[in-house]
Amino acid sequence: MPARLLILLVFVLGTVYAEPYKCRGVYNPSDYIGKLRVPNNCDVIKQPDCPSSWKSGIPEGSETSVPMIYQNFLNCHEGCTSCGYVPIDPKSGEVLGKSGVTIGRGVDLGSKSRASFTSLSSILVDKLEPYFGLKRNLAACATIERSLGLTLEEANILTDAVTNDVVEKVSKKYDSDKDENALAFASVPRGIRTAIVSVWYQFGHHSAYPKFWGFVTKNDWDNAIKELRYFYKNPNEQARGDLIRRSNEADIIEATLLRCNRSVDVVLLIDESGSVGSINFQESLDFVKNMTKAFPDEKLSGKNGTRFGLSTFSTSYKSHFYLSNYTKQSSYLSAISRVSYASGSTYLGEALEEILTDQFTEERGLRPEVDGVPRILIVLTDGEANDNVSIPAKNVRDENIVIYAIGIGEYNLEQLKEIASSESHVYTLSTFTELEKFISMLTASSCYEPRPVSLNETIITNVAKDTYQYFSYKVKESSNLEISVADLSGSTFVYVSRTNPHPSKYDNDISFNLSQQKKKIIVIPARPIPDTRRKRSTDVDDERTRQIYVSVTSDTESAQFKIEANECNPLNCTEGTNEIPTTQPPTTHLSTTTGTPSATATTTTKKPTATATPTTTTLKSSARVVIATKFVVVCFAMLITLLEIHDI
């Protein structure tokens, strides 16, 4: 009997301890204006290996096998903390949306209960329980007065449990809601699954975004992409990180589906040396076929169609077809099927020399410089070249041709870096069979590659509504870059970035948003930024120059524009634009970074009030239910014990 009483006492004490924290004071938003979170000493640890753009999609995005999602996408957008915090609007100090205490990788405890973490140890759950059900000012007050801290290991364990739970919930709900002809969730490509889970992870339930969920369960991916790009009714009042996240989710779906709406000149240089072998060589040709399959006939024909060329190398170099040869998918597939394996040694340097004057000429179908069509060379090799590749590769790059280097098996990584345009253009695979898994990422990378443009070079090209043209310029660190865009027909927007190869409305360093103004000038300094690229001894200019990226889009059905850029002395041209001010005050976007965690959707910013509502007077209804339920259980347990004591 004493044992039962002791157990009951422990249960009662545990119930008292587990009650949601009651604040002693109040949360005053005006005290935290200019901050991103409370407490403000809780720093977010950013994921170190996050790409500056997700236009290329995710690795193996077209695969349907496990893992169900690409975890790094969530990690990059949520960040990580081992301390509890509540996200707030830096302009007003108000808590964002219905946010609760957040910890780990965006785990919002305001929407959780003990039942949410049955797989975790009771010790860890006990640390979290006082914050269950607390939202908005209650959560902010609680985390200020009683800080929540976990070890990094505990934070990761918590995040993994929540992620697995979200994936399971999304999978079950999707499969129960999907149309009869829609794919089962397990059969949806990983890139699309990742985007779907990412939205749920932030909002907590599909009911918060019914339009997107409706498109997803119908497998209407085009409208799903569009919904993500225009997700918020009042984007100017939305946290910048949320806007970028929705755009990135749309990007990885688009990349997974192999949707390319740009004109590109792509030449593939395939290794057929003796170490490759006939079977692996056929895998390489299948890879080329799959790249061309990503483009329907309407994307392969006409002046603005994407064009492909194919060459092989071993002891000697050979071209099999040129950029001008074919305009139909079936023609490309037939031509690729006719390519036979030759074997031989690996003379890649010689092949790079020959391909520049053989494939990349206007006589063979290369579009003129003025058209601004990206020029891509994809090199696929399985070993180390027998000759020098550094100088021939530089000569190719100097012609504004972007080189991707794919190494398979016994590749020489340093040699691949010497060939490629940058380390981000190097791909390494263990076997030739893995090529199939990376087809979506490589195709998207080629499609959205910024067109390298020389200074003082004039480009005249077109852009359709909701699509982009991307350009890159190499600028001396000591100079500014003056970009001039003239609309010849239609109207355009211009976005510029020092770090993102695909600048957009919500992710740029400087922009020109007045589309009606026909003559647009933007000046941006080439400020030194951390450069992790390996310096090439043969390209000394790399140590003194930086890349500036420019994107142009349109708000009309189609626009033709002329773009050119020149270096200028910072003393003579200062940072800014010639945008003519409007009568309305400019809109300022919230300065939330891409990686800033946000466990809930951000709502319209509220004006700060003079005094905050005391947080001691209210408890969330969910917390009341928990307390009431536990009270009933305790009373029932006490009654049973008394009955047993008196042998009733």
Side-chain angles (χ1 to χ4, degrees):
M1 194 63 60
R4 284 199 182 101
L5 290 173
L6 181 61
I7 293 172
L8 179 61
L9 179 62
V10 170
F11 184 81
V12 172
L13 291 175
T15 301
V16 173
Y17 173 79
E19 288 185 5
Y21 180 75
K22 296 181 180 180
C23 289
R24 298 185 299 274
V26 298
Y27 173 68
N28 190 350
S30 61
D31 292 341
Y32 294 91
I33 292 176
K35 308 297 183 182
L36 294 175
R37 62 190 68 87
V38 291
N40 54 34
N41 61 349
C42 181
D43 295 326
V44 176
I45 304 170
K46 294 183 179 180
Q47 190 77 5
D49 54 348
C50 298
S52 54
S53 169
W54 291 90
K55 274 288 184 183
S56 299
I58 65 172
E60 303 184 32
S62 58
E63 292 293 294
T64 57
S65 57
V66 293
M68 294 294 284
I69 65 168
Y70 183 56
Q71 181 65 46
N72 200 46
F73 184 84
L74 292 184
N75 295 348
C76 288
H77 290 84
E78 293 292 347
C80 182
T81 65
S82 56
C83 51
Y85 73 95
V86 177
I88 61 175
D89 179 357
K91 293 198 300 184
S92 65
E94 294 280 358
V95 174
L96 293 178
K98 299 179 181 179
S99 296
V101 177
T102 303
I103 198 166
R105 298 193 186 279
V107 178
D108 188 340
L109 301 179
S111 59
K112 305 297 181 184
S113 66
R114 197 172 187 98
S116 305
F117 302 109
T118 55
S119 63
L120 301 183
S121 69
S122 58
I123 296 176
L124 178 54
V125 177
D126 287 344
K127 291 183 180 181
L128 306 174
E129 192 162 20
Y131 306 91
F132 291 160
L134 299 182
K135 298 182 179 181
R136 295 178 174 165
N137 285 8
L138 281 170
C141 174
T143 194
I144 292 171
E145 293 186 358
R146 179 178 176 173
S147 61
L148 170 61
L150 301 178
T151 66
L152 189 57
E153 181 182 6
E154 288 175 328
N156 287 330
I157 291 173
L158 171 64
T159 301
D160 290 343
V162 170
T163 302
N164 293 336
D165 180 61
V166 169
V167 171
E168 184 178 354
K169 286 180 178 177
V170 172
S171 179
K172 288 182 178 179
K173 186 59 180 173
Y174 170 94
D175 285 338
S176 68
D177 290 357
K178 75 178 185 68
D179 280 9
E180 182 179 353
N181 296 324
L183 295 170
F185 191 71
S187 298
V188 173
R190 185 180 298 129
I192 300 177
R193 291 194 306 236
T194 299
I196 296 171
V197 169
S198 174
V199 179
W200 183 301
Y201 194 96
Q202 183 175 8
F203 287 88
H205 198 265
H206 74 285
S207 59
Y209 46 92
K211 290 182 67 177
F212 176 69
W213 186 255
F215 294 137
V216 162
T217 52
K218 292 180 176 66
N219 289 182
D220 184 353
W221 307 125
D222 287 335
N223 276 318
I225 292 170
K226 188 174 182 180
E227 177 64 16
L228 287 172
R229 298 207 187 281
Y230 298 94
F231 198 85
Y232 300 103
K233 291 182 179 179
N234 300 303
N236 290 339
E237 298 176 351
Q238 200 69 29
R240 181 169 173 258
D242 290 343
L243 296 167
I244 294 173
R245 182 170 181 164
R246 299 288 86 80
S247 178
N248 291 342
E249 289 158 352
D251 285 345
I252 63 174
I253 294 177
E254 202 167 61
T256 301
L257 296 172
L258 303 179
R259 301 286 173 81
C260 183
N261 50 33
R262 295 179 78 206
S263 301
V264 190
D265 286 343
V266 182
V267 176
L268 296 106
L269 181 59
I270 307 299
D271 189 345
E272 60 172 345
S273 61
S275 58
V276 173
S278 59
I279 295 177
N280 287 334
F281 183 69
Q282 187 57 52
E283 293 278 1
S284 300
L285 294 180
D286 289 342
F287 163 73
V288 179
K289 287 181 179 180
N290 288 329
M291 279 206 74
T292 60
K293 286 179 182 178
F295 298 84
D297 286 350
E298 60 267 23
K299 297 290 186 180
L300 295 171
S301 59
K303 179 183 177 182
N304 297 321
T306 289
R307 301 175 183 179
F308 287 95
L310 175 63
S311 298
T312 55
F313 72 95
S314 56
T315 304
S316 59
Y317 164 89
K318 182 179 181 181
S319 288
H320 299 276
F321 55 82
Y322 297 103
L323 295 167
S324 59
N325 285 158
Y326 305 116
T327 58
K328 291 184 178 181
Q329 193 178 98
S330 58
S331 300
Y332 280 115
L333 297 179
S334 296
I336 297 167
S337 296
R338 292 193 295 269
V339 177
S340 59
Y341 175 62
S343 189
S345 299
T346 310
Y347 285 92
L348 177 53
E350 183 178 314
L352 290 170
E353 288 180 357
E354 293 197 41
I355 204 168
L356 185 58
T357 56
D358 179 49
Q359 285 276 12
F360 290 99
T361 65
E362 292 185 25
E363 293 78 11
R364 296 282 169 76
L366 185 72
R367 258 73 68 98
E369 288 269 4
V370 70
D371 289 353
V373 176
R375 300 168 172 184
I376 309 292
L377 173 61
I378 299 176
V379 178
L380 196 155
T381 182
D382 80 324
E384 184 173 352
N386 295 333
D387 54 354
N388 180 275
V389 298
S390 180
I391 295 176
K394 180 183 182 301
N395 292 337
V396 174
R397 294 194 304 268
D398 285 347
E399 294 300 317
N400 290 330
I401 298 168
V402 177
I403 306 179
Y404 286 83
I406 305 173
I408 304 174
E410 301 297 324
Y411 53 82
N412 182 320
L413 182 58
E414 289 305 310
Q415 202 167 71
L416 295 176
K417 292 177 181 178
E418 289 181 347
I419 296 169
S421 292
S422 73
E423 289 193 19
S424 65
H425 291 79
V426 174
Y427 292 83
T428 56
L429 311 176
S430 299
T431 64
F432 279 82
T433 55
E434 292 182 20
L435 280 169
E436 177 67 23
K437 298 179 181 180
F438 282 83
I439 186 66
S440 62
M441 194 169 193
L442 290 169
T443 302
S445 297
S446 302
C447 175
Y448 296 112
E449 182 65 46
R451 165 70 155 83
V453 184
S454 302
L455 297 175
N456 304 313
E457 180 183 346
T458 299
I459 299 292
I460 299 176
T461 189
N462 302 292
V463 64
K465 187 176 183 179
D466 295 330
T467 67
Y468 287 82
Q469 291 286 9
Y470 300 104
F471 308 94
S472 66
Y473 296 89
K474 186 177 288 188
V475 188
K476 291 179 181 178
E477 289 183 357
S478 58
S479 299
N480 287 359
L481 182 69
E482 182 179 292
I483 305 153
S484 174
V485 176
D487 295 341
L488 305 180
S489 66
S491 55
T492 62
F493 299 100
V494 185
Y495 308 109
V496 185
S497 174
R498 300 182 188 90
T499 56
N500 184 358
H502 309 104
S504 61
K505 183 175 182 179
Y506 305 113
D507 192 0
N508 63 77
D509 291 319
I510 189 170
S511 63
F512 201 109
N513 293 303
L514 186 60
S515 62
Q516 293 81 6
Q517 189 170 326
K518 296 299 181 183
K519 180 71 173 180
K520 305 171 174 70
I521 296 176
I522 298 176
V523 177
I524 182 171
R527 294 171 184 160
I529 57 175
D531 190 354
T532 58
R533 294 178 303 171
R534 183 185 57 82
K535 301 294 187 285
R536 301 187 185 93
S537 59
T538 57
D539 194 358
V540 295
D541 285 345
D542 276 3
E543 296 183 1
R544 301 194 302 267
T545 60
R546 300 291 176 184
Q547 293 292 132
I548 300 292
Y549 302 100
V550 182
S551 69
V552 181
T553 187
S554 177
D555 59 351
T556 53
E557 287 305 312
S558 180
Q560 185 180 53
F561 64 93
K562 178 175 69 173
I563 181 172
E564 52 191 6
N566 301 285
E567 285 183 329
C568 60
N569 191 317
L571 298 177
N572 301 326
C573 63
T574 57
E575 181 176 10
T577 74
N578 71 331
E579 189 169 334
I580 300 173
T582 60
T583 55
Q584 297 179 347
T587 302
T588 303
H589 300 302
L590 303 184
S591 57
T592 307
T593 59
T594 305
T596 300
S598 176
T600 58
T602 308
T603 58
T604 303
T605 303
K606 299 179 181 178
K607 295 181 180 179
T609 54
T611 58
T613 304
T615 55
T616 54
T617 59
T618 59
L619 282 173
K620 301 303 294 178
S621 59
S622 59
R624 290 172 179 164
V625 171
V626 171
I627 295 172
T629 302
K630 289 187 175 181
F631 178 75
V632 171
V633 172
V634 170
C635 290
F636 183 74
M638 292 179 68
L639 178 61
I640 294 297
T641 303
L642 289 173
L643 291 174
E644 289 185 356
I645 291 174
H646 295 283
D647 294 325
I648 298 176

